[in-house]
């Protein structure tokens, strides 16, 4: 008998049987023969790389690690890598597979001492036009660079980065920006000066795409410079003050395209974290405070940027901005009013992004902020050397919640409903009752079902602070509306939140107002809702206990088993089984088991074989006497059923219990 197809395991370099289908249909041109040696198989894969079939070349390129393990270290360096380098003008799919594989070949070329042999093909791949290939090559190049010995890193790798940064092709210059940034700490001081100059040139490149990538890495570069060269780089004549901060200002100017200005917020966050770390070690010096004062206006400028995408980026990252600058003196006096401006932006997308960050901004800002003037935004003059009353950011921002509940955009209100209750733990009980509960009551009456659902889904934080007693009467109409919503996904979502609501509202209130709705969902027209309703009844049984289920759930479920629709009767079987598993076995055998056993004589085979399935599950719940006296006789009856499916599941249930 022929052996199953073999492959080379990249982990232990030994043969293994293929347990899954090959990624492509084997043909003489694309698959190695069963009787090939490892070397012949490797040569065959190289021939596949040379072939005209693109899919075959992709498959071979994905197996470079296996090929290298067969060839050995020396032949991989002398044969495989030169061959790959010569074929760097292949189709993008092939180059992508090669780029991803090269980073895994360090140990196959002889380890760290020979890892520099991987640099030439990666250098070529970092210059190709296709972005996905460059990204894969970038990741592999970083992996290889981490393996290089120090002398090789500062010699050959440094030269590669210099060539990329000075290349005529903008794609190569784009790749060099991130690599220079990550390599900076390992360079000598002289090399650091050279490559910082190259990076500065990339930030001022004539090609917007190159400037964009350089701008993405500017914040990391500043952090690496501070960590590598110390605090003196922040002095008046330091590298950061004289070279990098001017780049911040230049790349944030209105002369730059949107794609470049988008990076301003992220870079400022990184700088804020770096300065915050310094502030924790000791008071900031005058020149360091001056740098902060130069950057804060750049953040403020993103708030008023002409491009809504820039403002959206600022809004979505503003919690990070607050976290980065919170430890720095007086900065919050400017940033919190700027955030309030984002909450009133003309674009709904920007307001939505800002609203999503409402609770996070309030939590990250631990510095008291000025009390705003009533009915208007504060002027810059009023914020300078402010000496008046101060409150927490949460107390100031909560007053914006009411206006957001009246926003024209449903998306803004839905975002608010998701995060508004998270302000409660920050505000405390009294402030929550005074300032937060009224707008939450407005959201509960919102016309959009998504808004009401989001709010009900996030009541946990509010319940921990004040409970939901104050909201219970307002919650009820919202829950009833959602339970009957025309969109089945809305009904499903509120159903899935019922156990949590039951816990928050208490047994008496829930029993009186909502227990009948939970049973009613068993009759929904949507199968997913009926299945979720059965699970919901089991959760409620677990929460409120066996006696409660016997009194308020089981009678209604028992009525459903007589419903003319077999789908409703089927749901009753499933619900009874799930509830029985959460009940006291003794009570379940009296209240639930007879209902299921009676349905074994249903006229519809689907009901009967589901009865058999559920009895198989319940046999693990009840003791042997109940099984012998009540369950097994019914299973025996079902094993003789005229329907073969019923017979199958009855026999299966019987075997499971033996």
């Amino acid at each position: 008998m022929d052996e199953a197809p073999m492959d080379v395991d990249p982990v232990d370099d030994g043969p293994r049987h293929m347990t899954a289908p090959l990624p492509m249909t084997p043909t003489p041109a694309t698959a190695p023969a069963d009787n090939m040696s490892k070397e012949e198989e490797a040569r065959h894969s190289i021939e596949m790389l040379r072939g005209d079939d693109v899919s075959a070349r992709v498959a071979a390129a994905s197996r470079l690690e296996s090929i290298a393990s067969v060839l050995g270290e020396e032949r991989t360096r002398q044969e495989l890598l030169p061959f790959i380098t010569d074929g760097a003008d292949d189709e993008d799919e092939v180059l992508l597979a090669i780029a991803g594989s090269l980073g895994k070949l360090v140990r196959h070329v002889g380890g760290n001492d020979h890892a520099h042999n991987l640099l030439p093909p990666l250098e070529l791949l970092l210059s190709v036009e296709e972005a996905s290939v460059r990204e894969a090559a970038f990741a592999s190049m970083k992996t290889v660079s981490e393996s290089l010995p120090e002398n090789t890193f500062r010699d050959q790798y440094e030269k590669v980065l210099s060539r990329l940064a000075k290349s005529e092709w903008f794609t190569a210059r784009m790749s060099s920006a991130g690599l220079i940034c990550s390599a900076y700490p390992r360079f000598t001081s002289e090399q650091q000066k050279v490559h910082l100059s190259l990076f500065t040139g990339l930030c001022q490149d004539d090609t917007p795409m190159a400037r964009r990538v350089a701008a993405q890495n500017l914040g990391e570069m500043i952090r690496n410079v501070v960590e590598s060269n110390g605090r003196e780089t922040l002095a008046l004549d330091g590298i950061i003050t004289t070279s990098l901060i001017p780049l911040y200002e230049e790349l944030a100017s209105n002369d730059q395209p949107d794609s470049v200005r988008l990076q301003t917020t992220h870079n400022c966050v990184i700088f804020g974290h770096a300065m915050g770390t310094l502030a924790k070690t000791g008071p900031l010096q005058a020149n360091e405070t001056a740098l902060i004062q130069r950057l804060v206006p750049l953040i403020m400028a993103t708030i008023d940027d002409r491009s809504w995408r820039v403002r959206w980026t600022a809004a979505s990252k503003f919690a990070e901005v607050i976290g980065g600058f919170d430890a720095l003196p007086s900065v919050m006096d400017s940033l919190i009013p700027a955030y309030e401006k984002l909450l009133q932006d003309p674009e709904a997308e920007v307001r939505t992004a800002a609203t999503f960050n409402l609770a996070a901004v309030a939590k990250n800002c631990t510095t008291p902020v000025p009390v705003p003037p009533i009915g208007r935004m504060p002027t810059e003059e009023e914020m300078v050397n402010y000496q008046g009353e101060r409150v927490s950011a949460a107390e100031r921002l909560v007053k914006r919640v009411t206006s957001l509940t009246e926003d024209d955009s449903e998306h803004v209100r839905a975002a608010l409903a998701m995060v508004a209750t998270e302000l409660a733990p920050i505000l405390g009980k009294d402030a929550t009752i005074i300032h937060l509960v009224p707008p939450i009551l407005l959201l509960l009456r919102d016309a959009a079902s998504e808004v009401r659902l989001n709010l009900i889904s996030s009541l946990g934080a509010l319940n921990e602070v004040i409970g939901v007693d104050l909201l219970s009467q307002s919650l009820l109409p919202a829950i009833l509306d959602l339970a009957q919503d025309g969109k089945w996904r809305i009904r499903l979502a509120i159903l899935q939140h019922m156990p949590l609501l039951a816990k928050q509202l208490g047994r008496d209130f829930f029993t009186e107002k909502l227990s009948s709705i939970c049973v009613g969902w068993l009759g929904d027209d949507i199968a997913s809702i009926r299945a979720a309703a059965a699970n919901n009844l089991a959760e409620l049984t677990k929460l409120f206990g066996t006696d409660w289920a016997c009194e308020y759930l089981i009678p209604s479920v028992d009525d459903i088993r007589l419903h003319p629709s077999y789908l409703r009767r089927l749901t009753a079987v499933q619900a009874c089984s799930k509830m029985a598993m959460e009940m006291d076995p003794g009570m379940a055998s009296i209240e639930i088991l007879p209902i299921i056993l009676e349905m074994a004589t249903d006229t519809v085979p689907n009901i009967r074989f589901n009865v058999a399935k559920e009895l198989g599950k319940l046999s693990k719940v009840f003791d042997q006497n109940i099984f012998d006296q009540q369950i097994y006789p019914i299973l025996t009856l079902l094993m003789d059923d005229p329907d073969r499916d019923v017979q199958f599941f009855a026999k299966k249930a019987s075997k499971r219990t033996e």
Side-chain angles (χ1 to χ4, degrees):
M1 183 175 178
D2 292 339
E3 288 281 337
M6 306 290 286
D7 196 6
V8 177
D9 193 327
V11 176
D12 59 15
D13 297 337
R16 60 179 171 83
H17 289 282
M18 297 290 288
T19 57
L22 291 172
M24 52 191 298
T25 304
T27 66
T30 62
D34 292 346
N35 58 356
M36 275 187 180
S37 68
K38 293 181 180 179
E39 183 169 339
E40 289 173 334
E41 185 177 339
R43 288 186 178 279
H44 177 77
S45 296
I46 293 177
E47 289 302 321
M48 289 166 61
L49 279 173
R50 292 188 178 126
D52 295 331
D53 187 348
V54 175
S55 60
R57 297 204 300 276
V58 172
S62 300
R63 298 180 65 247
L64 287 184
E65 194 174 4
S66 299
I67 296 171
S69 67
V70 173
L71 291 177
E73 297 172 357
E74 185 174 354
R75 293 185 63 192
T76 296
R77 296 194 300 267
Q78 295 179 358
E79 297 178 27
L80 181 60
L81 293 182
F83 173 76
I84 291 173
T85 304
D86 292 340
D89 58 349
D90 206 330
E91 297 289 338
D92 291 338
E93 296 91 335
V94 180
L95 297 181
L96 179 60
I98 292 174
S101 298
L102 285 174
K104 305 172 185 176
L105 296 185
V106 173
R107 66 188 180 93
H108 297 294
V109 298
N112 296 353
D113 291 338
H114 296 278
H116 63 274
N117 289 279
L118 294 165
L119 298 180
L122 284 171
E123 182 178 352
L124 292 174
L125 292 171
L126 286 167
S127 303
V128 301
E129 187 173 353
E130 175 56 40
S132 60
V133 176
R134 294 199 308 274
E135 290 170 2
F138 182 91
S140 291
M141 183 66 98
K142 288 191 68 174
T143 301
V144 171
S145 69
E146 292 168 359
S147 305
L148 294 173
E150 212 63 28
N151 59 334
T152 306
F153 186 92
R154 293 175 176 176
D155 180 18
Q156 298 187 44
Y157 186 63
E158 186 273 339
K159 292 176 181 176
V160 169
L161 297 191
S162 295
R163 288 194 296 270
L164 288 171
K166 298 174 183 178
S167 174
E168 294 182 3
W169 295 98
F170 76 90
T171 50
R173 302 198 299 274
M174 290 173 66
S175 299
S176 69
L179 293 173
I180 290 175
C181 177
S182 61
Y184 184 89
R186 291 183 63 183
F187 285 147
T188 64
S189 58
E190 192 60 35
Q191 288 175 335
Q192 286 179 344
K193 293 178 183 178
V194 172
H195 282 271
L196 188 60
S197 176
L198 290 174
F199 185 83
T200 300
L202 292 170
C203 290
Q204 298 169 333
D205 196 277
D206 293 336
T207 307
M209 289 80 80
R211 294 203 304 275
R212 172 177 57 82
V213 178
Q216 288 174 345
N217 290 278
L218 180 57
E220 289 293 337
M221 178 59 85
I222 281 193
R223 178 153 53 193
N224 288 341
V225 169
V226 173
E227 292 176 354
S228 301
N229 304 115
R231 201 162 183 169
E232 60 270 15
T233 57
L234 298 167
L236 291 176
D237 58 350
I239 299 172
I240 291 179
T241 306
T242 58
S243 299
L244 295 181
I245 293 299
L247 289 178
Y248 264 70
E249 296 168 335
E250 182 177 345
L251 293 173
S253 69
N254 285 329
D255 296 334
Q256 300 289 346
D258 295 358
S259 60
V260 176
R261 300 200 311 279
L262 280 172
Q263 315 307 322
T264 301
T265 305
H266 175 67
N267 287 330
C268 290
V269 168
I270 295 178
F271 183 80
H273 280 298
M275 298 301 288
T277 302
L278 292 178
K280 292 176 183 177
T281 62
L284 294 178
Q285 300 172 9
N287 58 293
E288 294 167 345
T289 304
L291 289 180
I292 297 171
Q293 296 305 323
R294 288 177 66 178
L295 283 194
V296 170
L298 301 185
I299 301 175
M300 306 293 288
T302 63
I303 309 301
D304 296 316
D305 196 278
R306 65 178 184 273
S307 169
W308 73 268
R309 290 201 310 149
V310 175
R311 303 197 305 275
W312 180 90
T313 302
S316 62
K317 293 180 178 292
F318 216 86
E320 299 176 36
V321 172
I322 297 296
F325 285 85
D326 184 51
L328 306 178
S330 304
V331 178
M332 292 302 108
D333 290 3
S334 300
L335 292 184
I336 293 300
Y339 175 68
E340 291 176 325
K341 197 169 185 179
L342 285 172
L343 292 172
Q344 303 173 59
D345 193 272
E347 295 291 339
E349 290 85 352
V350 177
R351 299 197 303 275
T352 302
T355 303
F356 267 124
N357 276 287
L358 181 64
V361 167
K363 182 177 180 180
N364 289 348
C365 181
T366 59
T367 305
V369 295
V371 176
I374 299 174
R376 62 181 177 84
M377 295 292 292
T379 63
E380 291 185 13
E381 292 76 12
E382 291 174 326
M383 290 294 99
V384 175
N385 298 322
Y386 180 84
Q387 300 297 325
E389 181 185 357
R390 290 179 176 271
V391 295
S392 69
E395 289 177 292
R396 174 165 174 162
L397 293 175
V398 73
K399 296 177 182 178
R400 297 284 175 186
V401 173
T402 300
S403 61
L404 289 172
T405 62
E406 301 169 354
D407 196 281
D408 293 336
S409 171
E410 176 184 331
H411 298 293
V412 174
R413 303 196 305 276
L416 177 65
M418 291 182 69
V419 301
T421 57
E422 295 177 19
L423 290 172
I426 308 172
L427 290 169
K429 184 174 182 179
D430 293 339
T432 296
I433 293 173
I434 296 172
H435 299 296
L436 191 58
V437 169
I440 285 178
L441 293 175
L442 292 176
L443 290 173
L444 280 172
R445 296 192 291 270
D446 195 278
S449 56
E450 292 281 357
V451 176
R452 303 194 302 273
L453 178 61
N454 285 352
L455 183 63
I456 291 173
S457 304
S458 62
L459 284 177
L462 188 68
N463 182 55
E464 293 176 1
V465 177
I466 65 169
V468 292
D469 294 341
L470 293 174
L471 302 179
S472 57
Q473 294 302 323
S474 298
L475 272 174
L476 185 60
I479 294 172
L480 294 176
D481 286 344
L482 292 170
Q484 301 169 2
D485 195 275
K487 299 175 184 176
W488 71 269
R489 293 183 188 277
I490 298 293
R491 301 200 301 276
L492 178 61
I494 190 63
L495 189 162
Q496 292 170 336
H497 282 93
M498 275 297 170
L500 178 60
L501 286 171
K503 186 175 181 180
Q504 294 171 347
L505 293 171
R507 185 166 79 169
D508 293 340
F509 184 89
F510 187 87
T511 300
E512 180 184 354
K513 305 294 184 181
L514 297 174
S515 60
S516 59
I517 294 177
C518 294
V519 177
W521 272 316
L522 292 174
D524 197 278
D525 293 335
I526 304 298
S528 297
I529 292 181
R530 296 197 298 272
N535 291 327
N536 180 49
L537 294 186
E539 291 290 332
L540 293 176
T541 300
K542 182 178 180 180
L543 178 64
F544 291 146
T546 299
D547 293 338
W548 181 86
C550 292
E551 183 175 356
Y552 295 105
L553 298 183
I554 293 176
S556 299
V557 175
D558 189 25
D559 292 340
I560 297 176
R561 71 183 178 87
L562 304 175
H563 197 281
S565 170
Y566 86 93
L567 293 174
R568 306 297 189 273
R569 302 199 299 275
L570 176 60
T571 305
V573 173
Q574 296 168 342
C576 286
S577 175
K578 293 178 184 297
M579 291 167 61
M581 293 181 184
E582 302 296 342
M583 294 174 63
D584 173 73
M587 291 296 293
S589 65
I590 298 173
E591 300 289 343
I592 292 283
L593 186 58
I595 298 175
I596 299 176
L597 296 176
E598 286 181 25
M599 299 188 75
T601 58
D602 196 281
T603 57
V604 178
N606 276 27
I607 301 295
R608 299 199 297 276
F609 78 63
N610 272 281
V611 167
K613 288 168 64 176
E614 300 305 330
L615 288 176
K617 297 176 185 177
L618 292 175
S619 62
K620 301 174 183 178
V621 176
F622 299 119
D623 59 33
Q624 190 64 36
N625 288 335
I626 293 177
F627 172 74
D628 292 337
Q629 296 175 12
Q630 299 186 51
I631 296 178
Y632 190 75
I634 297 299
L635 289 176
T636 303
L637 178 66
L638 294 175
M639 282 189 276
D640 296 328
D641 194 276
D643 188 277
R644 63 182 182 180
D645 291 332
V646 177
Q647 296 174 23
F648 171 80
F649 284 107
K651 291 176 182 177
K652 187 175 180 180
S654 177
K655 290 178 182 178
R656 184 180 301 175
T657 58
E658 288 176 354

